[in-house]
Amino acid sequence: MIKMITKVIFMIAICMIAGTGLSAKTSVIVGGGLQFDLGQLGGTITKDGLDSTQLRTNSAGQVVGPQSAIVAENKLVAVERSTGGAFNVKDNGAMTGGVLSLGVETDVGKNFFARVGINYTEKIAGGYTSANYMGYNWYEITWNYRTIIIPAYFGIKLKVGEDSAFYIAAGVNYYQGGWGLKGHNDGVGLAAASGGISNSLGLGASPAVLDEDTQFKVKGFGVNWLVGAQTKISDKGSLFFELETILSAKMGIGATHSSGGTAALSMYPAYPIVVGGQIYKIGYKHEL
C-alpha cells in the first residue's frame, strides 16, 4: 500500500514539475514530527471510559448502573489509592504518535506554491492501561493507531530577507487507517478474587472479555491547512518548522472477536473515528 501511494505521489510530482516549467523552483521535502492525543481518545482513556451494554447489580440484585467495557484510568487510580495497595494500576494516558512526512513542493508564480505529500503516523507512546488485584491481572488494554494521509496544498509564501520565509496553505487530503484496542477485562475473575469487593466498586465486565482485538478502519477525504517558516542552511537546502492541521473523521465499524466483547459492546460496534489532528513538524527541503 505504501509503495502504491509513493508511486502516485511521484506521478503527481512529475506533473507539478512539468506544469510549472523548468524555471520554477521545485523542492523535495523530508520531515518528522509528533501528533498528540491520537484519535481524540484521551478523554475515553483517562476519564470517561466506555459503558458496557451489560448492567451492574448490587448484592440484593438491584440494578445500580452499567458495567464498564473500558475502565477510565482516573477511576482505576482512585480505587488503587483507596484500597491500600490491594489494586495496582499502570496508566499511560492518551496516545502520542510519531509522524514521517515526505513530499514535493513547487513554486507557482512569484509568491505562491503547491505541495503534495504523504504522512505516515503510528503510536509511539501512551495508550496502555493495566490493573491487578493482589497479583491477579484482571484488566489490560493496549490501544493502537496507524494512518496514512495524502495532503495536497496551495498556499502563499512571504519572504523575510534573502534566506527566510513564512507561509500558509490550505487544501484537501485522502486518508486511510484508524485505531483499535486489544486485551481483556475479567470482571468474573476479579469478583471471585476480591470476594465481591469489585462489584461494589463498579469494576470489571461480566461476562468476562477475554482475548479481544477490535480494529476500526476508515478511509475518505478531508480538508487540511498548515502554517510554517523556513530558513536556508545551504545553497539548496532549507530547514522548516510547521504546524499542520488535518481534519478527517468518519464513522467506523469494528468487529469484536470474543463472546465477552460482543456482550459488552456488540458484534459490530460503531464508533466515530478521528484520523486527523495537529502535527508539530520539523524537516528539510532540498531544491532540485
Side-chain angles (χ1 to χ4, degrees):
M1 177 59 69
I2 294 179
K3 289 183 178 179
M4 182 189 72
I5 294 173
T6 303
K7 289 180 180 179
V8 172
I9 292 176
F10 180 75
M11 293 173 64
I12 295 174
I14 294 297
C15 293
M16 289 171 62
I17 295 171
T20 55
L22 295 175
S23 61
K25 184 175 70 175
T26 299
S27 301
V28 294
I29 302 170
V30 178
L34 295 174
Q35 183 176 337
F36 300 98
D37 193 12
L38 296 178
Q40 295 184 10
L41 289 165
T44 300
I45 295 171
T46 61
K47 64 183 180 64
D48 298 327
L50 184 64
D51 286 342
S52 167
T53 58
Q54 304 296 304
L55 297 177
R56 179 167 54 90
T57 59
N58 59 20
S59 58
Q62 300 171 319
V63 175
V64 294
Q67 298 179 17
S68 295
I70 303 298
V71 187
E73 289 184 341
N74 64 343
K75 183 175 184 179
L76 291 172
V77 171
V79 170
E80 178 185 42
R81 298 293 178 86
S82 62
T83 55
F87 284 85
N88 184 265
V89 177
K90 292 182 179 179
D91 55 308
N92 291 95
M95 291 184 285
T96 297
V99 184
L100 175 62
S101 181
L102 304 173
V104 177
E105 181 178 293
T106 186
D107 288 349
V108 179
K110 185 177 180 181
N111 295 111
F112 296 94
F113 69 95
R115 179 196 292 189
V116 64
I118 179 172
N119 292 339
Y120 174 77
T121 305
E122 186 166 342
K123 184 192 86 169
I124 59 173
Y128 175 80
T129 310
S130 69
N132 70 71
Y133 175 79
M134 302 296 288
Y136 174 58
N137 185 27
W138 64 274
Y139 183 82
E140 185 174 25
I141 298 293
T142 300
W143 301 78
N144 61 71
Y145 182 97
R146 183 179 294 112
T147 62
I148 294 174
I149 297 176
I150 304 176
Y153 289 99
F154 187 81
I156 185 170
K157 189 176 296 182
L158 304 175
K159 288 187 176 181
V160 180
E162 293 295 325
D163 298 329
S164 302
F166 290 102
Y167 52 91
I168 58 173
V172 296
N173 67 80
Y174 171 79
Y175 62 87
Q176 179 175 307
W179 53 263
L181 68 163
K182 60 181 180 179
H184 64 270
N185 181 349
D186 184 9
V188 178
L190 174 62
S194 66
I197 294 176
S198 61
N199 293 335
S200 62
L201 296 173
L203 298 176
S206 179
V209 180
L210 302 176
D211 298 321
E212 184 54 67
D213 187 355
T214 304
Q215 304 294 317
F216 295 88
K217 305 297 182 183
V218 293
K219 57 183 177 180
F221 295 90
V223 297
N224 41 269
W225 63 87
L226 64 81
V227 295
Q230 67 180 57
T231 186
K232 277 194 171 184
I233 57 175
S234 66
D235 288 343
K236 290 184 174 293
S238 295
L239 183 68
F240 70 85
F241 300 89
E242 291 179 355
L243 173 59
E244 183 175 25
T245 302
I246 306 290
L247 293 183
S248 300
K250 196 173 185 179
M251 185 65 71
I253 307 297
T256 52
H257 292 76
S258 68
S259 58
T262 299
L265 299 174
S266 75
M267 184 174 292
Y268 298 105
Y271 203 90
I273 309 302
V274 178
V275 174
Q278 290 189 318
I279 302 170
Y280 299 85
K281 190 186 302 181
I282 182 173
Y284 175 75
K285 298 181 182 180
H286 188 80
E287 183 180 341
L288 299 177

